[in-house]
Amino acid sequence: MTSVPAERTTRKQLGAFYSPRTLVEPMVSWAIRDRRDCVLDPSCGDGVFLVAATERLLVLGAKRRSISQQVAGMDLNLEAVSVTRTALKEAVGFRSSHLATANFFAARPTDEAGSPWAAVDAVVGNPPYIRYQDFNGGMRAQALVSAAQAGVRLTQLTSSWAPFVVHAISFLRPGGRLALILPAELAHAQYAEPLREHLLRCFREVNVISFRQAVFPNAQVEVVVLLADGRDSSSKRRLRLVEADNDGDLVELEHLLARSVVFDSGHQPSKWLPGFGENAGVRCLDELKEKGLVVPLSETGKANIGFVSGANDLFVLSPADASMWRLPKASLRPCVIRARQIPGALITQRDFSALRVADDRCLLWLPRRRLTRSELAYVRHGKRLRIQQRYKCRTRVPWYTVPGVMVPEAFLTYMSDEVPRLCLNEARLAAANTLLTVRIESVPRHLQRAFVGAFYNSATLLSCERNGRSYGGGVLKLEPREADRMLLPALEVVERHKDDLSGLVTVLDRELRKGRSGRIRETISAVDDLVLQRGLGLSADDVRNIQEARKRLVERRLQRAKSMRSHRPTNPPSVVSTIG
Ligand SMILES: C[S@@+](CC[C@H](N)C(=O)[O-])C[C@H]1O[C@@H](n2cnc3c(N)ncnc32)[C@H](O)[C@@H]1O
């Protein structure tokens, strides 16, 4: 393949990142099967996919002159199209007549023979990845309308790539193939669910390749490769998921795909990640749920984000600062604002006293209607710092009253390393939005310690892994809605073993505080014996399967984080960007 002489600055402006050719070439070879195939890259950038496509057509025996009519591309960016034109000319020696500077969402497939936008045998590429916050204005509206016309209802929270894929499918002939690099959100994001369903409706076979190691380390975006085969060609639908180590594994694509876990119609998992649907541990968890032995948190309680002050630096004070400003005691609410302030499975009055002694920021200023003189001085201080102009503050009246402050029964870590942490709030503290608050009012007071202890069983922790998301850094992130879906042992089981569980929660609390991973794992095993075996009646094999399933998901995210940190691209010959 010819190297593509794009200007570095242009690439930067496009959000372009170098990708290994080992990713692009096998995708194109898979998508193009015949020398007469026509191929489209609807966001061609500097043309890396189109150049690979011309090379593939040449290998298959296509004539150079006809290739210029078989390969079509467009891009919103004029400069990118011009780079593609030069690259194609170098590759085949002809100017391609099928290149345009255009907005793909405005393009429509035509039936006109010879038109660049007639239906094609293969659509390839790497669609623009613009997150919903930046994907706005006319283009988002246009994208959502075009997806809706194809029967796919995407929400306003969608990123650009999802409607792009829907639109790309409409350019395929029956039997055609789609080969795209997409953000890993395809596999797990809620907003991409209608797209996942659409892909399964449209194609005979949908292959998704995810990667253990980072493929685009510099882009900080985790990607998957989508290879969808047989547009509208069968009523049987098959999903195949496989995990590669890295892009190098795609060189032997047939071998890699042969290792896929296959799901036939009606048995497809909600998330398209290996480990999410196919193993014995996960099946066992599903059975426990069906039998009502484990139930979603939403049946017993509710997770939420903590208070959003808009300026913790002003509103959350250390005891020394509160006393310096002479803020009245009655206006100060004990609170936590960082996960490290709740190091264990319980937070007690003693812990809170320790925070005060350490002069940690742990007092939320929540004034009553009539401000004291010193509070008026504190408001003036806030104004001098222009806090009243900050987004959250300027949208409330008065700007210094933090809304939504309450005392939950427990906290849950929002971002977790190996083990997400549920912590019983015995100190009756409020929490900022760096933590999740968990209401469990329906759990009787005398059972709450045991309830928190029971959380630390491998089935519940597995459900956290399956419901949460992991990003580049390896942390598990649980949004309130995802936390509401985590599966907890039924209350009868907690009641039956309350004494033992209360004992175990004390052990766990100690080990979590000390951060001794080995001892934490041992204690989780002890909770498994009690809750899963004795409480729920699982066999030792079932428990082991659940433990294994969880371990695989934890290792998967931690390993990926490690590779993100250590992997650097060595050979940057072509560009594939993940941000449009
Ligand atoms: C991720 S890059 C892919 C470039 C190329 N296919 C590759 O793999 O290197 C996304 C490209 O989409 C282009 N783009 C963004 N919005 C577009 C739109 N609405 N229609 C066509 N192209 C668009 C950007 O200019 C950028 O070049």
Side-chain angles (χ1 to χ4, degrees):
M1 189 191 289
T2 332
S3 67
V4 181
E7 295 295 327
R8 307 262 150 154
T9 48
T10 309
R11 285 179 172 160
K12 247 191 162 167
Q13 285 152 4
L14 287 171
F17 296 90
Y18 289 110
S19 80
R21 281 164 53 157
T22 42
L23 197 59
V24 174
E25 287 177 5
M27 288 172 65
V28 167
S29 299
W30 176 88
I32 302 175
R33 292 162 285 178
D34 189 277
R35 69 184 166 83
R36 284 158 304 193
D37 277 357
C38 290
V39 56
L40 166 70
D41 180 346
S43 57
C44 62
D46 64 0
V48 61
F49 275 91
L50 293 182
V51 171
T54 59
E55 290 179 349
R56 169 72 174 156
L57 287 166
L58 284 172
V59 168
L60 290 171
K63 296 268 178 312
R64 282 178 186 271
R65 191 174 286 278
S66 72
I67 289 178
S68 67
Q69 306 288 310
Q70 287 171 258
V71 169
M74 70 174 88
D75 199 287
L76 205 51
N77 185 291
L78 180 83
E79 225 170 311
V81 173
S82 133
V83 174
T84 299
R85 187 163 282 126
T86 310
L88 282 174
K89 189 156 191 301
E90 270 182 37
V92 267
F94 287 103
R95 277 176 71 87
S96 169
S97 47
H98 290 2
L99 278 180
T101 305
N103 169 10
F104 180 51
F105 291 119
R108 293 282 166 267
T110 85
D111 293 334
E112 276 171 53
S115 156
W117 317 129
V120 291
D121 305 283
V123 175
V124 297
N126 177 2
Y129 180 35
I130 310 168
R131 289 185 207 268
Y132 78 94
Q133 300 93 325
D134 305 313
F135 180 44
N136 41 33
M139 195 178 297
R140 176 172 42 195
Q142 197 175 31
L144 292 180
V145 167
S146 103
Q149 281 165 353
V152 185
R153 302 228 159 264
L154 294 165
T155 70
Q156 298 288 330
L157 293 181
T158 191
S159 297
S160 60
W161 63 271
F164 210 90
V165 177
V166 176
H167 198 47
I169 294 171
S170 67
F171 281 74
L172 276 176
R173 284 189 188 135
R177 287 184 161 187
L178 184 67
L180 299 175
I181 297 171
L182 297 174
E185 285 158 39
L186 168 72
H188 58 75
Q190 190 93 19
Y191 74 77
E193 200 167 335
L195 172 62
R196 293 196 283 273
E197 289 165 2
H198 185 59
L199 284 164
L200 290 175
R201 271 196 305 273
C202 289
F203 292 94
R204 180 168 47 79
E205 195 161 276
V206 175
N207 297 278
V208 179
I209 304 169
S210 49
F211 300 91
R212 282 191 202 95
Q213 294 166 13
V215 182
F216 295 102
N218 290 346
Q220 288 296 313
V221 172
E222 217 178 286
V223 298
V224 295
V225 166
L226 169 73
L227 303 175
D229 188 11
R231 164 85 169 115
D232 284 341
S233 66
S234 158
S235 57
K236 285 207 178 126
R237 311 290 176 199
R238 194 168 254 195
L239 172 68
R240 297 161 62 96
L241 304 180
V242 69
E243 194 168 38
D245 272 335
N246 51 41
D247 47 298
D249 284 1
L250 265 74
V251 176
E252 305 256 8
L253 191 58
E254 291 295 316
H255 279 96
L256 180 67
L257 294 180
R259 288 199 342 240
S260 304
V261 181
V262 181
F263 302 90
D264 285 318
S265 311
H267 297 92
Q268 279 120 8
S270 59
K271 292 193 182 183
W272 289 1
L273 290 170
F276 275 80
E278 82 280 19
N279 59 50
V282 167
R283 273 196 298 277
C284 191
L285 180 64
D286 289 342
E287 272 171 33
L288 288 176
K289 187 180 170 201
E290 268 165 37
K291 292 179 185 161
L293 295 171
V294 291
V295 288
L297 168 67
S298 56
E299 288 190 17
T300 349
K302 176 92 197 79
N304 223 320
I305 56 166
F307 63 76
V308 182
S309 77
N312 281 352
D313 38 351
L314 181 82
F315 294 107
V316 183
L317 297 97
S318 69
D321 283 343
S323 117
M324 187 186 82
W325 285 100
R326 298 179 189 207
L327 298 179
K329 217 172 155 190
S331 302
L332 295 170
R333 291 283 183 90
C335 72
V336 274
I337 56 167
R338 295 188 194 92
R340 72 157 176 76
Q341 291 175 317
I342 51 160
L346 306 166
I347 180 153
T348 62
Q349 271 304 336
R350 217 166 125 193
D351 294 315
F352 187 65
S353 303
L355 290 180
R356 292 191 69 122
V357 169
D359 201 31
D360 220 344
R361 295 222 321 252
C362 60
L363 298 170
L364 170 68
W365 176 54
L366 201 61
R368 290 191 275 189
R369 197 173 296 178
R370 283 177 70 95
L371 301 185
T372 62
R373 200 181 289 186
S374 38
E375 285 180 316
L376 285 167
Y378 199 56
V379 168
R380 285 196 296 278
H381 168 63
K383 278 190 170 170
R384 274 195 300 277
L385 298 175
R386 298 184 195 279
I387 303 284
Q388 80 284 14
Q389 291 173 7
R390 291 203 195 164
Y391 175 66
K392 285 288 168 192
C393 304
R394 69 169 186 263
T395 52
R396 65 193 183 214
V397 184
W399 65 268
Y400 50 79
T401 301
V402 177
V405 180
M406 51 88 170
V407 174
E409 287 75 29
F411 304 115
L412 182 68
T413 42
Y414 185 37
M415 307 269 201
S416 314
D417 290 330
E418 189 175 329
V419 186
R421 203 150 20 86
L422 186 69
C423 174
L424 190 64
N425 183 15
E426 295 190 335
R428 301 195 49 72
L429 310 176
N433 60 343
T434 35
L435 289 163
L436 294 185
T437 59
V438 180
R439 302 306 317 253
I440 42 167
E441 292 150 296
S442 64
V443 178
R445 254 279 169 75
H446 72 282
L447 283 186
Q448 287 183 357
R449 265 193 178 222
F451 183 84
V452 167
F455 164 87
Y456 293 91
N457 75 81
S458 295
T460 297
L461 296 175
L462 171 60
S463 76
C464 291
E465 295 294 330
R466 294 184 80 211
N467 286 311
R469 310 164 212 194
S470 91
Y471 290 106
V475 290
L476 175 69
K477 189 172 174 195
L478 281 159
E479 298 286 353
R481 254 186 8 183
E482 294 158 346
D484 279 345
R485 289 200 296 262
M486 70 187 181
L487 298 168
L488 294 149
L491 268 188
E492 304 85 78
V493 180
V494 176
E495 168 97 66
R496 225 178 304 137
H497 298 282
K498 63 176 184 303
D499 294 337
D500 288 339
L501 280 168
S502 302
L504 279 172
V505 86
T506 315
V507 180
L508 255 166
D509 183 56
R510 188 180 62 226
E511 300 307 342
L512 285 168
R513 283 166 193 260
K514 290 188 176 160
R516 295 198 287 212
S517 329
R519 301 292 279 271
I520 296 169
R521 282 183 210 129
E522 277 169 27
T523 320
I524 291 174
S525 266
V527 179
D528 285 348
D529 289 345
L530 190 62
V531 173
L532 302 182
Q533 266 189 277
R534 283 167 54 197
L536 304 181
L538 293 187
S539 68
D541 277 351
D542 284 342
V543 175
R544 212 167 306 117
N545 287 336
I546 288 176
Q547 290 169 337
E548 271 304 306
R550 171 180 168 250
K551 192 167 155 221
R552 276 177 54 188
L553 292 181
V554 173
E555 280 177 0
R556 187 174 182 278
R557 66 178 161 87
L558 297 180
Q559 190 186 7
R560 180 170 288 116
K562 218 163 123 194
S563 93
M564 277 281 210
R565 285 192 293 270
S566 64
H567 184 83
R568 289 282 172 274
T570 46
N571 177 20
S574 58
V575 70
V576 172
S577 66
T578 46
I579 299 166

